[in-house]
Amino acid sequence: MSTGAGGTFSVEPNPNPCTDAEREAELAHPAFGMAFTDHMSRLTWRAGEGWSGRRVVPYGPIQLDPAAAVLHYAQEVFEGLKAYRHTDGSVWTFRPFANAERFSRSARRMALPELDPRDFVAAVESLVRVDRAWVPGGVDTSLYLRPFMFATEPFVGVRPSRMVEFYVIASPVGSYFAGGVAPVCIWVERETHRAGPGGTGAAKCGGNYAGAMAALETAYAHGCEQVLYLDAVTGTDVEELGGMNIMAVFDDGTVATPPTSGTILEGVTRSAILQLLADRDVAVVERPVSLAEVVEGAKSGHLAELFACGTAAVMTPVGSLRGPDFEVTVADGGPGELTMSVRGELTDIQYGRVPDRHDWLHRLV
Ligand code: COI
């Protein structure tokens, strides 16, 4: 049972926060996910009791019993969203209830308790209000918010945990990729799969990412930044990049992206881009996209643009695809026109530079 959902979070101020100079140094050149703010939000869940203890506490290590279930069976889910500083100093986030609802779906899949979306959003709001000075103001910078929930019960038998904790931490960030919005090279993974029918592919759970680390190492060894996964049943259709969705733009102006049919993460950025494309009357279709279509299209010129999308990466052009026995460049390898134009429109909305006609923004400060 969840009582007082969306209620006030009490604040325990950090007795040793960063100095202004230390914080300003972090905000001047934020890397992705390296530095964290002075506080974190937390809530606790116990079977039979529900959620309690809405608090913002000093950021710091979490004490866990070595038998805590998450350490053994990876019963964990997380989310990613951002807070953006507008030029008038106000701070906003983007579609937080969409993240909250996906968090609930992920929790259900991992037999974790659902957190009321109002508590999810209140935890984010409370943290950003306390740590508002940490929201950077530079071009393409933001405060990345990472809500997560995990099983803490000390029990090594296999069953859903009766003790769970939820936290939100925050990190000032710039571009996800070190090269900014420069086109990335993608490794086409054929040896391993990220998800299969009936699996956890649609859930944002740590296990999906753990299983993808080995392929990421292979990608790095081949000079690529990310991995493109193929469907586990036929090995012929492109699915997603593990941490991002993918979309293809063809030379006839149409756009295609794989459908979210259980093995692909239902990206919040993905759905916003589909909306922005539809607003432009672009013929955009969610359908299976074969690797052959992408590779042959890159060779023939029928594939005009390919891009990755997600909260962290926003929209990142894919310049080339590489596999054990092939390499293709997408168009001239540079950022595509439609990719950069929609990216511009999306970030203009997020940073308050154009009207928010879909009512996507949610004020935090
Ligand atoms: C995001 O885009 O927020 C992601 O979750 C990608 C990655 C940082 C895990």
Side-chain angles (χ1 to χ4, degrees), residues 4-5 18 40 44 56 71 89 156 230 245 295 326 332 334 341:
C18 278
M40 55 190 184
T44 299
V56 174
L71 300 177
V156 293
L230 304 177
N245 296 117
V295 171
F326 77 95
D332 62 0
S341 162

Side-chain angles (χ1 to χ4, degrees), residues 93-137:
T93 191
F94 186 74
R95 305 181 65 195
F97 283 95
N99 291 90
E101 278 150 23
R102 185 174 65 186
F103 194 62
S104 289
R105 292 196 294 278
S106 299
R108 277 201 295 278
R109 179 63 184 85
M110 303 304 289
L112 284 162
E114 284 180 52
L115 179 67
D116 190 306
R118 290 169 295 174
D119 270 331
F120 178 100
V121 174
V124 163
E125 287 170 346
S126 305
L127 176 60
V128 176
R129 282 181 192 143
V130 172
D131 281 338
R132 64 182 69 186
W134 281 92
V135 184

Side-chain angles (χ1 to χ4, degrees), residues 117-312:
R118 290 169 295 174
D119 270 331
F120 178 100
V121 174
V124 163
E125 287 170 346
S126 305
L127 176 60
V128 176
R129 282 181 192 143
V130 172
D131 281 338
R132 64 182 69 186
W134 281 92
V135 184
V139 177
D140 281 343
T141 64
S142 58
L143 187 66
Y144 185 75
L145 302 160
R146 171 54 63 87
F148 59 107
M149 182 201 288
F150 54 94
T152 57
E153 185 177 354
F155 176 65
V156 293
V158 181
R159 63 152 166 72
S161 178
R162 294 175 183 154
M163 297 164 62
V164 169
E165 291 197 17
F166 167 80
Y167 286 81
V168 186
I169 56 172
S171 171
V173 298
S175 294
Y176 183 72
F177 292 107
V181 285
V184 292
C185 172
I186 301 291
W187 174 254
V188 179
E189 174 63 13
R190 292 175 185 275
E191 299 292 315
T192 64
H193 290 285
R194 175 187 168 276
T200 58
K204 206 160 174 65
C205 61
N208 288 344
Y209 295 77
M213 296 297 175
L216 208 45
E217 282 196 325
T218 309
Y220 295 156
H222 288 88
C224 295
E225 283 99 334
Q226 279 289 317
V227 174
L228 174 62
Y229 287 96
L230 304 177
D231 78 280
V233 176
T234 67
T236 56
D237 292 336
V238 306
E239 291 219 315
E240 60 150 273
L241 303 188
M244 292 151 223
N245 296 117
I246 190 156
M247 296 197 193
V249 184
F250 296 99
D251 61 352
D252 59 5
T254 61
V255 175
T257 191
T260 52
S261 46
T263 54
I264 294 177
L265 194 78
E266 295 170 354
V268 176
T269 305
R270 174 187 182 278
S271 78
I273 293 167
L274 292 179
Q275 179 66 60
L276 294 181
L277 289 169
D279 291 352
R280 294 173 180 220
D281 291 328
V282 170
V284 51
V285 47
E286 295 177 70
R287 63 160 173 84
V289 178
S290 72
L291 177 64
E293 180 183 7
V294 171
V295 171
E296 293 313 315
K299 287 181 185 161
S300 70
H302 179 44
L303 180 71
E305 304 177 27
L306 192 64
F307 64 85
C309 54
T311 298

